[in-house]
Amino acid sequence: MDENRAPIVPYVYIKHTGKVRDANPVRVVSSCNLEIYTFPFDVQNCTFTFRSYIHHVSDIRITLGKKVEDILKRSISVLSTEGEWELMDIKSSKFKLSSFDQGESNPYDELCFYIVLRRRATLYVVNLLIPSCFLITVDLFSFLLPPQNVDRSSFKMTLILGYSVFLLIINNLLPVTGSTIPLINVFFAICLALMVASLLETILITNLLVGSSNFHPVPGWVRVLVLRFMGNLVWLPQKSREDKIILNPVAGETDLKVCPLVTVERQVQTGEPGKMWAEEGDPTLAELRNLGNELQSIRLQVAQHVDGNQISQDWMQVGYILDRLLFVVYCIFVTFSFIVILSIWSNSYNQ
C-alpha cells in the first residue's frame, strides 16, 4: 500500500450528544491478485481489511457508519474512472480476532470489504476476438478454392503470415501477470494451429492431385476405405470404370479399325497355297500388314493411356474425398472449440 496522500482536514465534528466525529479522509492505493484465466471477461474480487494491530476492542471498536447498499450506491456515483473496470458489488463482514495473551475476553476488531469488479470487454472484443474470427472464417472459405491450384496454398501462407503479425501487434493488450494462462491465449493458439493444419492439408492434397499420374494403382484397402466408404460419407461417390472405357471414343475407333485387318490376314493365310505364294511379293499385302502392326501398337498405347488416366483419376478422386473430409473435420473442430471457449467466457461474465 502506498503512502496516504489525502489532504489533511484539521477539523472535527462535535454533536450535542457528545459524540466527536473526525472525518479525516484516507487515500488507499492497494493491489489484489488477479484471476485472468477468463480474460477479457474476468470478474475480480478484491478484499480490503481494516483492523488495529495494537488496540483491543476495549480501546477501539470498528463498525460500519452506513449500510453496505448505501456505500455501494455512493461509490458508483463518485467513481472517478469509467475506463476498463466496472464496480459491480461491495460486501462487508466483521470479525473478532482473539489475542494470545488475553484470549477471547478482549479481542481485536476486524472489518473486511469485498469489492467485486468486472472488466469492460468491448475494447478487447473489437480489437482481438473479432479480427481473429474473421481470419478463421476466411481460412475456412479458402477450402472453396481448387486444391490443385498453387494459389490456394499461397493464400493460406499469406493468411498465416498476416495472423502472426497481428499477434505481435496485439501483444501489449494481453495481461502479463497472473497465476494461470489466459483462455484468450489458448484461443489464439488454436486459431494459429488451425491455419497451419489447413496449410499442411492443402500441401498434401495438392501433391496428391498434381503427382497422381506418377503413382502406382490405388491399393485395394484405399479403394474400399476412401473411394467407397468415405466417398459416400462426404457425398462424392466413385464413378464406375466400365462407363469411362465404353464412352472413350479413341478406344472405340481403334477396335473398329483393327478387326477388319485381322480378317484380311486370316483370309490370306487360309487361302490356296499357290495363290498365297503368288501374292507374297504383293506390295499391297505388305503395306496392309505394316498398317495392321502399327494400328495394333496404337491400340496398345491407347489402352495404356486409358489405364494411366484411370489410375490418375482414381488418385484424384482420393484427393478430392480427403479434401472434403478434412474440410468437414475442420468445420466441426472449429465449431466445437469456439462453443467451449465462448461458454466458459459466458459463464464467467454472467456470474
Side-chain angles (χ1 to χ4, degrees):
M1 185 174 67
D2 293 344
E3 183 181 356
N4 182 23
R5 298 180 181 179
I8 298 176
V9 180
Y11 303 104
V12 294
Y13 298 91
I14 301 176
K15 297 185 178 182
H16 67 281
T17 58
K19 291 184 178 181
V20 179
R21 179 188 175 193
D22 185 6
N24 190 15
V26 177
R27 182 175 182 268
V28 178
V29 179
S30 182
S31 61
C32 61
N33 294 326
L34 298 180
E35 295 294 335
I36 59 174
Y37 177 71
T38 56
F39 175 88
F41 304 98
D42 52 334
V43 177
Q44 305 297 335
N45 191 343
C46 298
T47 304
F48 288 92
T49 304
F50 299 91
R51 56 165 296 185
S52 174
Y53 289 94
I54 301 176
H55 302 282
H56 297 274
V57 175
S58 58
D59 300 327
I60 295 179
R61 291 184 179 179
I62 303 176
T63 58
L64 286 174
K66 296 181 180 180
K67 295 182 180 180
V68 181
E69 291 79 8
D70 297 334
I71 297 176
L72 177 61
K73 293 179 181 179
R74 177 64 176 171
S75 301
I76 294 176
S77 62
V78 300
L79 192 62
S80 60
T81 177
E82 292 292 339
E84 187 175 2
W85 297 99
E86 178 184 2
L87 180 62
M88 299 299 299
D89 192 12
I90 296 179
K91 299 178 181 179
S92 66
S93 60
K94 185 177 180 180
F95 304 96
K96 292 184 179 295
L97 304 178
S98 59
S99 59
F100 292 101
D101 53 350
Q102 298 185 10
E104 298 180 356
S105 59
N106 194 13
Y108 296 95
D109 259 356
E110 182 178 274
L111 185 62
C112 294
F113 287 95
Y114 304 100
I115 302 175
V116 181
L117 300 173
R118 184 172 65 183
R119 192 189 305 268
R120 289 187 173 93
T122 306
L123 174 67
Y124 301 98
V125 170
V126 173
N127 292 334
L128 301 181
L129 298 182
I130 292 181
S132 298
C133 294
F134 282 164
L135 292 176
I136 282 293
T137 304
V138 171
D139 184 66
L140 189 66
F141 278 94
S142 65
F143 280 91
L144 300 178
L145 296 175
Q148 69 271 17
N149 198 342
V150 186
D151 293 339
R152 178 170 169 179
S153 58
S154 301
F155 177 80
K156 289 182 178 292
M157 292 177 64
T158 306
L159 198 64
I160 293 175
L161 180 60
Y163 191 69
S164 301
V165 175
F166 168 76
L167 293 180
L168 292 177
I169 294 175
I170 56 93
N171 189 34
N172 295 329
L173 295 177
L174 299 177
V176 295
T177 59
S179 57
T180 58
I181 299 177
L183 190 61
I184 192 171
N185 290 5
V186 179
F187 174 79
F188 291 150
I190 290 177
C191 292
L192 185 60
L194 287 173
M195 292 181 183
V196 173
S198 175
L199 177 61
L200 294 178
E201 182 269 342
T202 301
I203 294 174
L204 176 63
I205 299 302
T206 303
N207 180 56
L208 191 62
L209 295 179
V210 174
S212 59
S213 58
N214 300 324
F215 292 164
H216 295 288
V218 179
W221 64 273
V222 176
R223 186 179 299 275
V224 174
L225 180 63
V226 179
L227 295 180
R228 294 182 183 178
F229 179 73
M230 293 183 181
N232 295 327
L233 190 64
V234 297
W235 299 288
L236 286 176
Q238 181 186 9
K239 297 180 180 180
S240 60
R241 184 174 180 180
E242 290 76 12
D243 293 339
K244 295 181 181 179
I245 295 177
I246 292 175
L247 296 177
N248 194 327
V250 179
E253 291 178 3
T254 54
D255 290 341
L256 295 176
K257 291 179 181 179
V258 172
C259 292
L261 294 177
V262 175
T263 306
V264 172
E265 283 196 30
R266 289 181 179 176
Q267 290 178 358
V268 173
Q269 292 180 0
T270 55
E272 298 179 0
K275 188 176 182 180
M276 177 179 178
W277 287 104
E279 296 179 354
E280 186 65 28
D282 191 356
T284 305
L285 181 59
E287 186 69 22
L288 288 175
R289 288 180 177 178
N290 294 332
L291 184 59
N293 293 332
E294 292 177 0
L295 291 177
Q296 186 67 23
S297 63
I298 292 174
R299 180 186 180 186
L300 294 177
Q301 291 179 2
V302 169
Q304 293 177 359
H305 180 71
V306 170
D307 293 338
N309 285 341
Q310 182 63 38
I311 295 174
S312 177
Q313 291 175 5
D314 289 342
W315 281 113
M316 292 179 65
Q317 184 73 8
V318 171
Y320 288 130
I321 292 174
L322 292 178
D323 183 66
R324 179 75 64 84
L325 180 65
L326 294 176
F327 170 69
V328 174
V329 173
Y330 186 88
C331 294
I332 294 175
F333 187 79
V334 168
T335 305
F336 177 76
S337 302
F338 281 23
I339 288 176
V340 171
I341 293 177
L342 292 178
S343 62
I344 295 175
W345 277 335
S346 177
N347 293 333
S348 174
Y349 196 73
N350 294 327
Q351 287 181 354

